[in-house]
Amino acid sequence: MQKEYLAIVRGCVFEDQGTISLPMRHAEQGLHLLMETCNEGQGAQAETHFDVLERKKDKSLLRLRPHTGRQHQLRVHLSAKGHPIIGDKLYGPEGISPFFDYIDEGMTDTLRERLGHERHALHAHRLWIEHPGTGQNVEFVAPMPQDLLSLWER
């Protein structure tokens, strides 16, 4: 199985393509579900390939292909590289503060403005699987949702 995602991230990613290879583990502090990058040998290997599809002044549109399947891998890797996914309440530029604000108050206009979007701007775009009967690769494509298209155009 192969997966491909589209993400709108903060800032201008300068490399046209690359691979983020950073081990990951559960965060030592904070929420039980929170992940973090770590030094080699301290966590599970995680690798994400990216291509920049388009750039704007303050954001970039990326195609992401995870080569491993760690919890929150794409979000953690992009945040660690200084380009968190827009709208991410856990791994955005403010850390986990927006997550707690969301739990306490719900999605307010102020929080939406801080995050840049109501939800994280990550979309499962393409999936390839091997058909069990024929052995042929089958591809499924989901177009970018309208809310993310609108976010990109703003």
Side-chain angles (χ1 to χ4, degrees):
M1 179 181 345
Q2 295 178 348
K3 299 175 185 178
E4 181 179 284
Y5 296 82
L6 299 175
I8 303 171
V9 301
R10 293 180 184 275
C12 185
V13 177
F14 292 106
E15 305 92 350
D16 289 336
Q17 62 182 359
T19 300
I20 303 168
S21 186
L22 293 169
M24 292 175 50
R25 65 179 179 201
H26 284 280
E28 293 184 6
Q29 310 228 346
L31 296 172
H32 141 91
L33 61 93
L34 196 64
M35 301 295 288
E36 65 185 2
T37 58
C38 58
N39 294 324
E40 200 69 40
Q42 295 181 337
Q45 184 55 37
E47 188 174 284
T48 302
H49 182 80
F50 69 89
D51 296 292
V52 176
L53 300 177
E54 200 172 335
R55 294 176 180 93
K56 294 196 176 185
K57 178 180 73 168
D58 59 346
K59 57 191 168 196
S60 301
L61 176 62
L62 305 181
R63 175 177 42 228
L64 306 167
R65 289 185 306 284
H67 294 284
T68 51
R70 308 290 175 219
Q71 178 176 311
H72 300 176
Q73 175 179 320
L74 303 175
R75 297 164 64 196
V76 171
H77 273 175
L78 291 167
S79 182
K81 288 298 185 179
H83 297 286
I85 296 172
I86 291 175
D88 197 326
K89 296 172 196 71
L90 281 176
Y91 303 106
E94 297 181 51
I96 61 175
S97 170
F99 178 77
F100 292 120
D101 293 345
Y102 178 74
I103 295 297
D104 290 343
E105 303 172 30
M107 182 55 70
T108 63
D109 289 340
T110 303
L111 182 57
R112 187 178 296 107
E113 188 175 313
R114 279 173 50 202
L115 293 170
H117 196 59
E118 197 163 292
R119 64 179 181 95
H120 52 265
L122 178 65
H123 173 64
H125 175 61
R126 187 171 282 155
L127 171 71
W128 294 268
I129 59 171
E130 184 178 304
H131 188 282
T134 66
Q136 298 293 317
N137 280 340
V138 180
E139 178 182 10
F140 299 92
V141 177
M144 181 87 96
Q146 188 58 50
D147 69 319
L148 297 185
L149 288 171
S150 296
L151 170 66
W152 180 250
E153 293 306 319
R154 279 197 299 245

